[in-house]
């Protein structure tokens, strides 16, 4: 599971949850009404145990206190939605300003106050993973509240997310999906012909890197925002309208990676679900530049304990999954497996205070920033952008059919004798040539699988309405 991990907000308003339930891919407890009604606020659950970089456990009460402060402030940031007088541009700046104000009133000794800040810094790292950003200073404050949290206790697929996509694909006709055909350019607003369809003209032509060509009436583009950012100047011909291109540049797209560690035997207690790591020299109020090679692992939020499973009749796998976001995450991608194993073995020995802790037997990690067709993980609304940019990205092309160089008839509907010619009946002109879907195009559910799914259904509905306006 190098990609999507959880169903966020598994309840009746979540189409991914509905499909997973329909295909019987979830466990009974995840389907319970009780689970569906739990309000998490979109926050990651509290750790089972918290270790510091000096090898001691932090009291659960102190962690709960700091979590209450941090997530209370996160909830406050959503109250600035649609307000013109936000106190600062970013979520991070607001959080740090409020934490500084609270810290001024702490009466404990200096060591405890430093520990509190270190715990809060760990929660900042968690929020960077949630938002898919390097720093919460990059996430815009005013539109932050547009992200909609669904009820339900986040759950996972026991058999992996792939089970869902396998079931969806199984419902499609055979050979309808073509793999290993990277697209070079989408030509639109044109007049293209194809030998296999004599007499028919198409407004769109998809040109592949291997020279393959796919003419089409419509194309739904679902590539990640990171890919669009990197290939903006070459992926569309003619180029995208200025406003849409600018929205793509302004929106945020960051990296959140996973590192899986497999152990011969668990060193954690039974029932442990999340191991938090706190670096005592860290503070959200005093961030400093440092060489990534020596500090990248400090951005790890800790490790989730995955359910043990049998890999053979004689061996069980015990796996931890660490999450890391931002520039540190991207630097991690440049390291070898051996370098990462060595670093994380040292980290785990240090924080547990067990110098003899056995090294993991194997490692697996994602590399979403390096992956050429993603260039990161998922989107966020960055400082300088807004939800309006999400809507701009989602807007089909051409923006207005009247702007098209030639208005093409879809045939079948207006009664023309030819299937596709310049049409004298503008009511049936083909205005939807290039459509956009994917998580970055959903204003309320960006960064989620259910947002991606709903955006695809949205674009399918546009085409259905075009081809069958009476809804037959």
């Amino acid at each position: 599971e190098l990609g999507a991990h959880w169903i966020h907000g598994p309840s009746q308003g979540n189409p991914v949850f509905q499909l997973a339930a329909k295909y019987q891919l979830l466990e009974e407890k995840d389907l319970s009404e009780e689970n569906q009604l739990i309000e998490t606020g979109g926050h990651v659950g509290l750790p089972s145990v918290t270790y510091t970089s000096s090898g001691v456990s932090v009291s659960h009460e102190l962690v709960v206190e700091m979590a209450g402060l941090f997530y209370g402030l996160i909830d406050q940031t959503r109250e600035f939605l649609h307000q013109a007088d936000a106190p600062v541009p970013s979520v991070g700046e607001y959080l740090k300003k409020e934490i500084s104000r609270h810290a001024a009133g702490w009466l404990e000794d200096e060591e405890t106050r430093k520990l509190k800040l270190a715990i809060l810094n760990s929660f900042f790292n968690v929020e960077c993973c949630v938002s898919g950003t390097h720093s919460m200073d990059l996430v815009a404050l005013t539109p932050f509240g547009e992200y909609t949290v669904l009820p339900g206790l986040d759950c996972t697929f026991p058999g992996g997310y792939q089970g869902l996509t396998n079931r969806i694909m199984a419902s499609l006709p055979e050979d309808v999906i073509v793999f290993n055909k990277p697209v070079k350019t989408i030509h639109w607003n044109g007049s293209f012909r194809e030998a296999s369809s004599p007499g028919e003209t198409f407004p769109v032509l998809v040109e592949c890197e291997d020279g393959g060509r796919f003419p089409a009436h419509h194309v739904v583009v679902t590539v990640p925002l990171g890919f669009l950012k990197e290939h903006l100047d070459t992926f569309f011909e003619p180029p995208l309208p200025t406003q849409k291109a600018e929205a793509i540049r302004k929106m945020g797209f960051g990296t959140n990676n996973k590192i899986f560690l497999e152990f011969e035997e668990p060193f954690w207690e039974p029932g442990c679900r999340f191991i938090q790591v706190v670096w005592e020299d860290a503070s959200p109020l005093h961030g400093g530049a440092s060489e990534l090679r020596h500090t990248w692992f400090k951005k790890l939020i800790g490790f989730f304990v995955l359910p043990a499973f049998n890999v053979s009749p004689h061996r069980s796998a015990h796996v931890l999954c660490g999450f890391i976001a931002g520039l540190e995450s991207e630097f991690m991608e440049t390291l070898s497996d051996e370098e990462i194993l060595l670093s994380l073995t040292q980290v785990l020995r240090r924080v547990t205070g067990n110098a003899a802790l056995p090294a993991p037997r194997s490692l697996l990690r994602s590399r979403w920033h390096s992956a050429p067709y993603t260039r990161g993980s998922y989107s966020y609304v960055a400082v300088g952008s807004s939800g309006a940019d999400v809507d701009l990205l989602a807007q089909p092309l051409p923006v207005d059919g009247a702007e098209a160089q030639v208005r093409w008839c879809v045939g079948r509907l207006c009664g023309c004798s030819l299937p596709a010619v310049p049409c004298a009946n503008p009511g049936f002109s083909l205005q939807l040539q290039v459509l956009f879907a994917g998580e970055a195009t959903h204003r309320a559910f960006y960064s989620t699988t259910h947002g991606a799914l709903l955006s695809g259904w949205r674009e399918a509905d546009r085409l259905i309405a075009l081809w069958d306006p009476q809804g037959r």
Side-chain angles (χ1 to χ4, degrees):
E1 282 297 65
L2 295 175
H5 195 95
W6 287 282
I7 301 177
H8 291 299
S11 52
Q12 294 308 307
N14 187 326
V16 171
F17 174 73
Q18 290 181 338
L19 285 176
K22 171 185 172 183
Y23 295 136
Q24 300 180 324
L25 299 174
L26 299 177
E27 295 179 337
E28 202 62 40
K29 64 178 177 61
D30 299 322
L31 297 169
S32 70
E33 187 174 345
E34 180 186 4
N35 260 34
Q36 295 180 47
L37 295 176
I38 293 175
E39 295 284 354
T40 67
H43 307 318
V44 174
L46 291 176
S48 303
V49 61
T50 299
Y51 291 118
T52 70
S53 48
S54 60
V56 299
S57 298
V58 182
S59 77
H60 188 65
E61 290 74 21
L62 188 58
V63 174
V64 169
E65 180 188 345
M66 291 301 98
L69 170 59
F70 184 83
Y71 288 127
L73 293 176
I74 284 285
D75 291 340
Q76 285 181 26
T77 62
R78 302 185 184 281
E79 297 172 6
F80 293 101
L81 183 61
H82 305 311
Q83 290 188 19
D85 57 346
V88 289
S90 74
V91 173
E93 290 169 274
Y94 177 80
L95 293 173
K96 287 185 283 190
K97 178 169 169 283
E98 290 300 304
I99 286 171
S100 182
R101 185 174 63 82
H102 278 82
W106 290 343
L107 302 177
E108 296 93 343
D109 58 85
E110 182 65 20
E111 186 176 335
T112 303
R113 290 162 63 186
K114 284 181 64 176
L115 180 57
K116 282 185 169 184
L117 289 172
I119 296 169
L120 288 168
N121 193 74
S122 182
F123 284 117
F124 267 84
N125 292 342
V126 170
E127 204 62 29
C128 285
C129 288
V130 171
S131 290
T133 184
H134 170 63
S135 167
M136 295 308 292
D137 290 354
L138 302 175
V139 180
L141 176 60
T142 303
F144 193 60
E146 280 195 320
Y147 179 86
T148 302
V149 177
L150 296 173
L153 187 62
D154 292 356
C155 64
T156 60
F157 291 85
Y161 241 105
Q162 191 77 37
L164 179 60
T165 51
N166 287 346
R167 293 298 295 267
I168 293 173
M169 288 175 62
S171 67
L172 299 174
E174 285 189 28
D175 303 323
V176 74
I177 295 179
V178 181
F179 292 103
N180 298 314
K181 297 288 284 189
V183 173
K184 179 183 177 183
T185 306
I186 296 172
H187 303 271
W188 60 285
N189 210 20
S191 175
F192 305 101
R193 296 184 181 273
E194 172 62 28
S196 61
S197 303
E200 190 167 7
T201 308
F202 299 87
V204 183
L205 179 73
V206 177
E207 178 188 359
C208 297
E209 290 178 2
D210 65 0
R213 293 156 63 92
F214 293 86
H217 291 297
H218 318 279
V219 171
V220 182
V221 179
T222 63
V223 297
L225 178 60
F227 179 90
L228 285 181
K229 284 177 173 286
E230 185 171 60
H231 298 276
L232 188 56
D233 296 331
T234 60
F235 199 58
F236 297 95
E237 179 57 42
L240 295 179
T242 303
Q243 275 191 310
K244 184 184 281 282
E246 189 60 25
I248 290 171
R249 292 189 184 98
K250 289 193 298 183
M251 289 170 61
F253 193 79
T255 302
N256 182 22
N257 274 314
K258 301 181 189 180
I259 306 174
F260 296 93
L261 300 175
E262 182 197 356
F263 292 84
E264 192 79 47
E265 296 293 338
F267 64 83
W268 50 92
E269 295 294 325
C272 179
R273 301 186 68 179
F274 174 31
I275 301 168
Q276 183 183 34
V277 176
V278 170
W279 293 89
E280 290 159 292
D281 59 349
S283 167
L285 306 182
H286 307 293
S290 55
E291 192 177 350
L292 288 176
R293 174 166 291 279
H294 303 301
T295 61
W296 68 268
F297 45 81
K298 292 186 177 183
K299 195 69 169 288
L300 269 168
I301 66 171
F303 300 91
F304 286 88
V305 180
L306 303 189
F309 60 94
N310 294 325
V311 292
S312 74
H314 308 292
R315 184 167 74 85
S316 295
H318 305 280
V319 180
L320 297 181
C321 177
F323 284 79
I324 182 170
L327 297 178
E328 294 85 354
S329 183
E330 294 169 12
F331 177 78
M332 179 276 298
E333 296 184 28
T334 69
L335 300 175
S336 68
D337 284 359
E338 291 73 23
E339 288 174 305
I340 296 171
L341 263 178
L342 177 61
S343 292
L344 296 188
T345 298
Q346 291 173 344
V347 167
L348 287 170
R349 287 173 177 171
R350 178 176 175 177
V351 302
T352 60
N354 181 2
L357 187 75
R361 63 178 297 151
S362 66
L363 172 146
L364 178 69
R365 39 62 185 267
S366 58
R367 297 182 178 92
W368 288 113
H369 181 71
S370 306
Y373 305 124
T374 56
R375 305 298 285 143
S377 302
Y378 41 80
S379 66
Y380 61 93
V381 182
V383 172
S385 66
S386 70
D389 293 307
V390 179
D391 288 344
L392 268 173
L393 176 55
Q395 196 172 56
L397 297 174
V399 175
D400 181 349
E403 294 178 4
Q405 295 171 8
V406 181
R407 307 186 77 180
W408 296 100
C409 175
V410 298
R412 297 173 176 81
L413 294 176
C414 72
C416 293
S417 58
L418 295 175
V421 294
C423 186
N425 183 351
F428 294 103
S429 59
L430 184 59
Q431 297 181 24
L432 298 177
Q433 296 178 20
V434 185
L435 302 92
F436 294 82
E439 55 84 16
T441 70
H442 199 292
R443 189 161 177 166
F445 294 141
Y446 54 85
S447 81
T448 67
T449 52
H450 54 274
L453 180 60
L454 286 168
S455 72
W457 289 354
R458 178 193 66 212
E459 299 312 307
D461 286 341
R462 286 193 210 267
L463 293 177
I464 291 170
L466 176 72
W467 286 84
D468 187 8
Q470 280 77 43
R472 290 168 295 190

